[in-house]
Amino acid sequence: MRIAVVGATGMVGQVILEVLQERNFPLTELIPVASERSVGKSIVFKKKEHPIVSLQTALEKQPDIALFSAGGDTSLLWAPRFAEIGTRVIDNSSAWRMDATKKLIVPEINASQLTKEDFIIANPNCSTVQLVMVLNPLHQRFKVRRVIVSTYQSITGTGVKAVQQLENEMQSKKGEMAYPYPIHQNAIPHCDVFLENDYTKEEMKLTQETKKILHDENVLVSATAVRIPVVGGHSESVNVEFEKAVSVGDIKAVLQETPGVQLKDNPDVNAYPMPVFARGKDEVFVGRIRADHSHSHAINMWIVADNLRKGAATNAVQIAEYLIDQNLV
Ligand code: 2RA
């Protein structure tokens, strides 16, 4: 299996390489791809040096699968070119997610939708992945009506520049700004760009992608996405209103049985999910589950996951594993 990793030197690209190595992914050839300025350098994978190549060179190598994490513009231009030669593209950008002809996949939820006809497969936004991993089993069982979610997003979601900005600010050093304001000791309610409706693109991704993945346009989602100075993962405060009243016990029983979701919920011993514990793990952690005293059909919960792993790299690699397991590549 020839695997291209497009954006191999970026934050998600590097985690994709880690995850491929950790999961002993069945690849015969690794093709690391990055921008022209990195071509000629190399990355180490399984203790071996692998030269970084350009997109054109990678195309000529005809990979079986290409894991893209190189931004929407690159995906829009190059994903069709790889698809044309028969490569299965799994794209981490937002370029194809809401395209009606493309599938938006979280393997534990809807991988069964995939067929041999799918050559460009969209990986959801990181904050969407952890939300739907919890919502889906509850929606299947108790029918979700409305979701109000506030996110507390890691600066790693923005990339290296943001991590550097925080480091500089903590050392009172000047440097390039990834955000319009200081991120150290701050919370910025502005992830991605503002839209006509005064939501941000990040917030509308949560709404639109959740509906598509749950395959239910009637699920109402309203989000507020906030950037905070942490690196371990995204946290989300979620209020879910169901068709009818649902007990906390029933919610916990369903989530206990959900692959990829881990309950961490015992206030008596201060057990609840936090980014410092989620970092480097693939599970979606849920806690602080409690009845909403202001609404008989609603439940509050707190969801945390490593946005670079299950939120991006691991989810993409799991899709690639599924394609191989199901002989779709
Ligand atoms: C963010 N979810 O956190 C977006 C893109 N990774 O900025």
Side-chain angles (χ1 to χ4, degrees), residues 5-199:
V5 177
V6 179
T9 57
M11 287 195 106
V12 171
Q14 288 178 53
V15 178
I16 287 174
L17 292 167
E18 272 169 44
V19 172
L20 288 171
Q21 194 157 292
E22 270 174 37
R23 297 173 76 99
N24 205 15
F25 192 89
L27 60 89
T28 50
E29 184 184 352
L30 176 73
I31 307 166
V33 187
S35 61
E36 288 303 331
R37 69 170 181 276
S38 300
V39 170
K41 295 178 187 162
S42 60
I43 55 109
V44 176
F45 181 82
K46 290 194 170 174
K47 297 197 179 96
K48 254 184 71 189
E49 296 247 326
H50 294 263
I52 294 173
V53 301
S54 68
L55 276 156
Q56 185 54 41
T57 303
L59 191 68
E60 289 154 13
K61 288 174 172 279
Q62 299 188 325
D64 300 289
I65 297 175
L67 298 163
F68 269 61
S69 184
D73 294 344
T74 300
S75 291
L76 284 171
L77 186 60
W78 285 90
R81 292 180 185 173
F82 279 88
E84 225 162 273
I85 61 162
T87 300
R88 308 276 165 180
V89 174
I90 300 167
D91 179 39
N92 261 291
S93 82
S94 55
W96 304 100
R97 290 175 186 155
M98 298 317 292
D99 180 318
T101 67
K102 303 293 183 284
K103 293 173 183 160
L104 184 60
I105 300 294
V106 177
E108 294 87 340
I109 298 176
N110 59 1
S112 57
Q113 288 178 10
L114 291 169
T115 71
K116 275 195 180 292
E117 310 311 312
D118 295 307
F119 284 92
I120 298 176
I121 301 162
N123 210 43
N125 191 34
C126 37
S127 41
T128 305
V129 170
Q130 63 188 75
L131 179 65
V132 294
M133 278 288 289
V134 175
L135 286 184
N136 182 62
L138 301 178
H139 185 51
Q140 299 306 316
R141 188 69 188 280
F142 308 116
K143 205 136 177 56
V144 170
R145 267 185 50 75
R146 185 176 184 228
V147 182
I148 307 290
V149 49
S150 296
T151 72
Y152 304 73
Q153 297 188 212
S154 166
I155 52 173
T156 57
T158 309
V160 178
K161 205 164 102 176
V163 174
Q164 192 55 63
Q165 177 183 333
L166 177 60
E167 282 168 10
N168 290 340
E169 288 168 357
M170 290 174 76
Q171 295 157 29
S172 313
K173 277 201 274 184
K174 285 250 170 281
E176 233 188 323
M177 299 284 279
Y179 304 114
Y181 298 103
I183 187 66
H184 182 38
Q185 298 176 332
N186 200 9
I188 303 178
H190 177 182
C191 298
D192 209 324
V193 295
F194 281 103
L195 302 170
E196 287 290 296
N197 65 1
D198 291 336
Y199 279 79

Side-chain angles (χ1 to χ4, degrees), residues 274-298:
M274 291 183 281
V276 284
F277 297 137
R279 187 175 189 181
K281 298 192 177 77
D282 291 325
E283 292 84 356
V284 172
F285 297 91
V286 200
R288 299 297 324 276
I289 301 173
R290 60 200 188 282
D292 177 349
H293 59 64
S294 67
H295 191 309
S296 62
H297 293 186

